[in-house]
Amino acid sequence: MRKLNFLFLILPLAGLAQTKGTNPISVQNLNAGLVLDNNTQTVTLTMVGPSDRWIAIQYGQFSGGMEEGTDVAYYNGTTLVDARHNGIGVAPTADTENNWTVTQNTVSGGFRTLVATRPFDSPDATDYDFNYSDNTIGIALARGNSANFNLAYHGGTNRLVNTALGFTNLGVSVAEKKNAEIYPNPSRGNFTVKAAFEVSEVSVYNLSGAKITSVKPSNPSDLIEVSGLASGIYMVELKSNNQTVWEKLMVE
């Protein structure tokens, strides 16, 4: 079975603390996490999981999975549903107002990448309010145990609960990043960089923080060749004389 790595970088980016993301959490090829942007006061949720079934994330402060009254967001085959749990064994209830804005919903190789944002302080008074100063947050993940989008018992192996998941500083916030991209993405490992600034060095890291390779391109259009990468998510560091930008690379 193809294994997907978690989506967020685990590197000590000292001195750049405008954004922070939850540390790795995944179960049965479902990977999910939150990035908090203190400048824009917004949270970004990313989930990558099987494209043929429902996937869900519970978030906030709680003592266990499906705890009554806690926030949950789940994909129902059409959209990301903003909801609240009603307790173990009972389907969650959709909120009157959906405060998550989906910015990406793509499928590649049988996996769905779902990205959505919302303000820290939701307009819905019953929603969990994110606080950038918190050191931990509770996250629970679940996915359907069969290929359909009808919420049902997920089975014991298809769920994971962490009531005190820590954060890692991610560096420059998305709002501050200058225009840069890598393509093709997804790729087989080799890619080209397109940036609005002169890139002096390109480095590729795995999600354990280990540097795989580092290249100093002589021309902006140079192909960055990285051989033997396993399928999954990697982070690409683009350096110039006065800034560092991180981009996500998906390898098929």
Side-chain angles (χ1 to χ4, degrees), residues 138-221:
I139 285 186
L141 303 181
R143 41 152 277 183
N145 61 4
S146 61
N148 66 74
F149 293 96
N150 298 319
L151 291 180
Y153 178 52
H154 41 66
T157 61
N158 293 317
R159 59 109 173 104
L160 178 68
V161 179
N162 188 324
T163 59
L165 187 64
F167 290 95
T168 293
N169 288 340
L170 297 178
V172 179
S173 69
V174 173
E176 293 176 323
K177 287 169 62 175
K178 293 186 178 180
N179 184 37
E181 62 178 328
I182 53 179
Y183 63 93
N185 193 11
S187 76
R188 298 293 183 183
N190 300 334
F191 59 90
T192 300
V193 175
K194 180 180 179 181
F197 54 91
E198 184 176 351
V199 177
S200 59
E201 186 174 0
V202 179
S203 300
V204 179
Y205 295 81
N206 64 24
L207 295 187
S208 296
K211 182 184 289 187
I212 296 170
T213 189
S214 186
V215 177
K216 294 183 178 181
S218 56
N219 296 297
S221 60

Side-chain angles (χ1 to χ4, degrees), residues 2-3 13 22-23 28 39 43 48 68 75 84 95 118-119 122 128 130 141 143 145 155 173 193 208 226 242 245:
R2 175 182 171 184
K3 181 180 178 182
L13 304 180
T22 50
N23 287 331
Q28 295 285 60
N39 290 336
V43 56
V48 178
E68 185 174 1
Y75 185 72
R84 294 186 71 75
D95 290 354
R118 53 150 278 202
S122 168
Y128 174 76
F130 294 90
L141 303 181
R143 41 152 277 183
N145 61 4
S173 69
V193 175
S208 296
V226 188
N242 56 13
V245 169

Side-chain angles (χ1 to χ4, degrees), residues 64-86:
M66 295 191 71
E67 185 174 310
E68 185 174 1
T70 56
D71 268 0
V72 60
Y74 66 91
Y75 185 72
N76 66 356
T78 303
T79 189
L80 183 68
V81 180
D82 189 358
R84 294 186 71 75
H85 275 310
N86 292 308

Side-chain angles (χ1 to χ4, degrees), residues 124-141:
D124 185 342
T126 65
D127 278 347
Y128 174 76
D129 289 335
F130 294 90
N131 188 337
Y132 192 81
S133 64
D134 287 346
N135 294 319
T136 64
I137 189 171
I139 285 186
L141 303 181

